[in-house]
Amino acid sequence: MNIVSLKQSLHMAFRSKLHIFACVASLLLLCSTVSMRADVNDCTCNVDSTLATNLTICIGGTNYVVDIFGCKRDAPPLLAPICAAGSINQYTTITKVCFVGVRPIPIDPAATLSAILCELDPCKTPGILGATVGPTFLDVYCWAYFLPRCVRVDNLTGCIIKCGDGCCVVRRDFTRQADGSCLPTLFAQCTTAPTACISPCVQIDCVEPVCCN
Protein backbone atom coordinates (compact mmCIF):
# COMPACT_ATOMS: atom_id res chain seq x y z
CA MET A 1 0.00 0.00 0.00
CA ASN A 2 1.44 3.39 -0.98
CA ILE A 3 1.46 6.44 1.26
CA VAL A 4 -1.55 8.04 -0.48
CA SER A 5 -3.68 4.93 -0.05
CA LEU A 6 -2.60 4.63 3.58
CA LYS A 7 -3.59 8.25 4.26
CA GLN A 8 -6.96 7.69 2.58
CA SER A 9 -7.57 4.55 4.64
CA LEU A 10 -6.67 6.32 7.88
CA HIS A 11 -8.86 9.26 6.95
CA MET A 12 -11.82 6.99 6.21
CA ALA A 13 -11.31 5.10 9.48
CA PHE A 14 -11.18 8.36 11.41
CA ARG A 15 -14.38 9.61 9.77
CA SER A 16 -16.08 6.30 10.53
CA LYS A 17 -15.12 6.48 14.21
CA LEU A 18 -16.16 10.12 14.34
CA HIS A 19 -19.54 9.19 12.88
CA ILE A 20 -19.98 6.41 15.44
CA PHE A 21 -19.03 8.79 18.25
CA ALA A 22 -21.55 11.35 17.01
CA CYS A 23 -24.29 8.73 16.89
CA VAL A 24 -23.51 7.54 20.40
CA ALA A 25 -23.44 11.13 21.67
CA SER A 26 -26.80 11.82 20.02
CA LEU A 27 -28.33 8.73 21.62
CA LEU A 28 -26.99 9.70 25.01
CA LEU A 29 -28.39 13.21 24.61
CA LEU A 30 -31.75 11.80 23.53
CA CYS A 31 -31.87 9.44 26.50
CA SER A 32 -30.91 12.27 28.82
CA THR A 33 -33.62 14.47 27.36
CA VAL A 34 -36.26 11.78 27.73
CA SER A 35 -35.29 10.97 31.30
CA MET A 36 -35.39 14.65 32.24
CA ARG A 37 -38.75 15.29 30.55
CA ALA A 38 -41.25 16.40 33.12
CA ASP A 39 -44.38 14.41 33.81
CA VAL A 40 -46.39 17.57 33.28
CA ASN A 41 -47.94 18.52 29.97
CA ASP A 42 -49.89 21.72 30.43
CA CYS A 43 -53.03 20.69 32.32
CA THR A 44 -52.56 16.92 32.08
CA CYS A 45 -50.21 14.32 33.53
CA ASN A 46 -48.58 11.56 31.53
CA VAL A 47 -48.95 9.37 34.60
CA ASP A 48 -51.09 10.18 37.63
CA SER A 49 -49.47 9.42 40.95
CA THR A 50 -50.11 10.09 44.61
CA LEU A 51 -48.91 13.56 45.56
CA ALA A 52 -50.02 13.69 49.19
CA THR A 53 -51.85 11.37 51.57
CA ASN A 54 -53.85 12.17 54.69
CA LEU A 55 -53.52 15.90 54.15
CA THR A 56 -55.68 17.91 56.55
CA ILE A 57 -57.60 20.76 54.96
CA CYS A 58 -60.17 23.16 56.39
CA ILE A 59 -63.45 24.01 54.65
CA GLY A 60 -65.86 26.42 56.34
CA GLY A 61 -64.25 25.92 59.73
CA THR A 62 -64.31 22.11 59.61
CA ASN A 63 -61.25 19.93 59.11
CA TYR A 64 -61.23 17.12 56.58
CA VAL A 65 -58.57 14.69 55.38
CA VAL A 66 -57.82 14.19 51.68
CA ASP A 67 -55.49 12.32 49.37
CA ILE A 68 -54.25 14.29 46.35
CA PHE A 69 -53.30 12.78 42.99
CA GLY A 70 -51.60 14.21 39.91
CA CYS A 71 -47.99 15.00 39.00
CA LYS A 72 -45.33 17.57 39.71
CA ARG A 73 -42.13 18.94 38.31
CA ASP A 74 -39.43 20.56 40.40
CA ALA A 75 -36.14 20.07 38.57
CA PRO A 76 -33.41 22.53 39.61
CA PRO A 77 -32.16 25.13 39.17
CA LEU A 78 -35.39 26.85 38.01
CA LEU A 79 -38.12 26.14 35.48
CA ALA A 80 -39.38 28.36 32.71
CA PRO A 81 -42.40 30.50 33.64
CA ILE A 82 -45.95 29.92 32.47
CA CYS A 83 -48.48 32.77 32.47
CA ALA A 84 -46.35 35.07 34.62
CA ALA A 85 -42.90 36.62 34.46
CA GLY A 86 -40.08 35.05 36.42
CA SER A 87 -38.85 31.51 36.96
CA ILE A 88 -40.75 28.76 38.76
CA ASN A 89 -39.49 26.33 41.39
CA GLN A 90 -42.30 23.82 41.03
CA TYR A 91 -45.29 22.97 38.83
CA THR A 92 -47.98 20.83 40.45
CA THR A 93 -50.92 19.42 38.49
CA ILE A 94 -53.91 18.14 40.47
CA THR A 95 -56.08 15.57 38.70
CA LYS A 96 -57.98 13.96 41.58
CA VAL A 97 -58.80 14.63 45.22
CA CYS A 98 -60.34 11.98 47.47
CA PHE A 99 -61.75 12.55 50.95
CA VAL A 100 -60.58 10.08 53.57
CA GLY A 101 -63.28 9.24 56.08
CA VAL A 102 -65.68 12.10 56.81
CA ARG A 103 -66.52 14.28 53.82
CA PRO A 104 -68.55 17.47 53.40
CA ILE A 105 -72.11 17.11 52.12
CA PRO A 106 -72.36 18.07 49.37
CA ILE A 107 -68.77 17.90 48.15
CA ASP A 108 -67.86 21.31 46.73
CA PRO A 109 -64.96 20.98 44.23
CA ALA A 110 -64.09 24.70 44.19
CA ALA A 111 -64.10 25.00 47.99
CA THR A 112 -61.97 21.85 48.25
CA LEU A 113 -59.35 23.14 45.81
CA SER A 114 -59.29 26.51 47.59
CA ALA A 115 -58.62 24.74 50.89
CA ILE A 116 -55.88 22.62 49.32
CA LEU A 117 -54.12 25.76 48.06
CA CYS A 118 -53.90 26.93 51.67
CA GLU A 119 -51.98 23.77 52.57
CA LEU A 120 -49.68 23.79 49.53
CA ASP A 121 -47.63 26.42 51.27
CA PRO A 122 -43.82 26.24 51.39
CA CYS A 123 -43.75 28.76 54.25
CA LYS A 124 -44.89 26.03 56.61
CA THR A 125 -42.37 23.82 58.40
CA PRO A 126 -41.81 21.19 57.29
CA GLY A 127 -42.59 22.10 53.70
CA ILE A 128 -44.94 20.07 51.53
CA LEU A 129 -44.29 18.27 48.22
CA GLY A 130 -40.61 19.14 48.52
CA ALA A 131 -41.33 22.88 48.62
CA THR A 132 -39.59 24.93 51.29
CA VAL A 133 -38.67 28.61 51.45
CA GLY A 134 -35.03 29.20 52.36
CA PRO A 135 -34.18 30.70 55.77
CA THR A 136 -32.37 33.77 54.43
CA PHE A 137 -33.99 37.19 54.04
CA LEU A 138 -35.52 37.54 50.54
CA ASP A 139 -35.30 33.81 49.79
CA VAL A 140 -38.17 33.08 47.38
CA TYR A 141 -40.07 29.95 46.37
CA CYS A 142 -42.23 30.28 43.24
CA TRP A 143 -45.00 27.72 42.82
CA ALA A 144 -47.48 27.23 39.96
CA TYR A 145 -50.51 24.98 40.44
CA PHE A 146 -52.55 23.49 37.58
CA LEU A 147 -56.15 23.13 38.80
CA PRO A 148 -58.95 21.54 36.74
CA ARG A 149 -61.73 23.65 35.25
CA CYS A 150 -63.99 20.67 34.64
CA VAL A 151 -64.61 17.95 37.23
CA ARG A 152 -67.02 15.27 38.30
CA VAL A 153 -67.82 14.24 41.86
CA ASP A 154 -67.97 10.53 42.67
CA ASN A 155 -70.10 10.48 45.81
CA LEU A 156 -69.54 6.75 46.23
CA THR A 157 -65.76 7.13 46.66
CA GLY A 158 -65.76 10.74 47.84
CA CYS A 159 -63.46 11.78 44.99
CA ILE A 160 -63.29 14.87 42.80
CA ILE A 161 -61.99 13.80 39.40
CA LYS A 162 -60.69 15.98 36.57
CA CYS A 163 -62.52 15.91 33.23
CA GLY A 164 -61.05 17.13 29.93
CA ASP A 165 -57.94 19.28 29.56
CA GLY A 166 -59.00 22.76 30.64
CA CYS A 167 -57.40 24.23 33.74
CA CYS A 168 -56.46 27.31 35.68
CA VAL A 169 -52.82 28.02 36.43
CA VAL A 170 -52.35 29.67 39.80
CA ARG A 171 -48.92 31.14 40.54
CA ARG A 172 -47.79 32.18 44.02
CA ASP A 173 -44.43 33.49 45.19
CA PHE A 174 -43.42 33.02 48.82
CA THR A 175 -40.70 35.26 50.25
CA ARG A 176 -38.72 35.14 53.49
CA GLN A 177 -39.12 38.43 55.36
CA ALA A 178 -36.50 40.31 57.38
CA ASP A 179 -38.12 39.22 60.66
CA GLY A 180 -37.96 35.56 59.63
CA SER A 181 -41.63 35.27 58.71
CA CYS A 182 -42.68 34.01 55.28
CA LEU A 183 -45.41 35.55 53.16
CA PRO A 184 -46.90 35.05 49.69
CA THR A 185 -45.84 38.12 47.73
CA LEU A 186 -47.62 37.53 44.41
CA PHE A 187 -50.83 35.92 43.28
CA ALA A 188 -51.59 35.50 39.60
CA GLN A 189 -53.87 33.34 37.47
CA CYS A 190 -54.30 32.38 33.86
CA THR A 191 -56.79 30.08 32.19
CA THR A 192 -56.39 27.64 29.35
CA ALA A 193 -58.99 27.23 26.63
CA PRO A 194 -62.43 26.55 28.16
CA THR A 195 -63.41 22.93 28.54
CA ALA A 196 -66.74 21.72 27.26
CA CYS A 197 -68.05 19.91 30.32
CA ILE A 198 -70.47 17.10 29.57
CA SER A 199 -72.66 15.71 32.36
CA PRO A 200 -71.89 14.35 34.91
CA CYS A 201 -68.89 16.72 34.69
CA VAL A 202 -69.37 20.36 35.69
CA GLN A 203 -67.26 23.44 35.04
CA ILE A 204 -65.85 25.34 38.01
CA ASP A 205 -64.26 28.77 38.23
CA CYS A 206 -60.61 29.44 38.93
CA VAL A 207 -60.08 29.53 42.68
CA GLU A 208 -57.94 31.41 45.16
CA PRO A 209 -56.75 30.15 48.54
CA VAL A 210 -59.53 30.35 51.12
CA CYS A 211 -58.17 29.54 54.57
CA CYS A 212 -59.99 29.05 57.83
CA ASN A 213 -57.49 31.12 59.81
Side-chain angles (χ1 to χ4, degrees), residues 57 59 64-66 97-104 107 112 157-158 160:
I57 63 174
I59 302 174
Y64 300 95
V65 177
V66 296
V97 177
C98 293
F99 284 89
V100 180
V102 178
R103 65 193 68 165
I107 294 175
T112 302
T157 61
I160 301 167

Side-chain angles (χ1 to χ4, degrees), residues 89-104:
N89 292 91
Q90 181 178 157
Y91 289 113
T92 299
T93 300
I94 295 177
T95 57
K96 184 169 70 171
V97 177
C98 293
F99 284 89
V100 180
V102 178
R103 65 193 68 165

Side-chain angles (χ1 to χ4, degrees), residues 82 139 146 169 193:
I82 290 180
D139 280 345
F146 291 82
V169 183

Side-chain angles (χ1 to χ4, degrees), residues 168-192:
C168 288
V169 183
V170 179
R171 176 220 169 101
R172 301 173 79 193
D173 291 0
F174 301 84
T175 305
R176 183 69 62 191
Q177 307 298 305
D179 62 359
S181 63
C182 176
L183 296 173
T185 57
L186 173 67
F187 178 82
Q189 288 184 336
C190 69
T191 309
T192 67

Side-chain angles (χ1 to χ4, degrees), residues 4-24:
V4 174
S5 297
L6 179 60
K7 286 184 177 180
Q8 290 177 341
S9 298
L10 291 173
H11 180 68
M12 291 180 63
F14 175 77
R15 291 188 61 184
S16 178
K17 289 183 178 180
L18 185 62
H19 178 71
I20 293 172
F21 175 81
C23 291
V24 171

Side-chain angles (χ1 to χ4, degrees), residues 29-42 44-47 71-75 79:
L29 179 60
L30 178 61
C31 291
S32 174
T33 302
V34 170
S35 65
M36 291 173 63
R37 180 177 57 82
D39 189 27
V40 175
N41 180 16
D42 294 332
T44 61
C45 296
N46 294 323
V47 177
C71 53
K72 72 186 184 80
R73 179 185 179 189
D74 53 1
L79 304 170

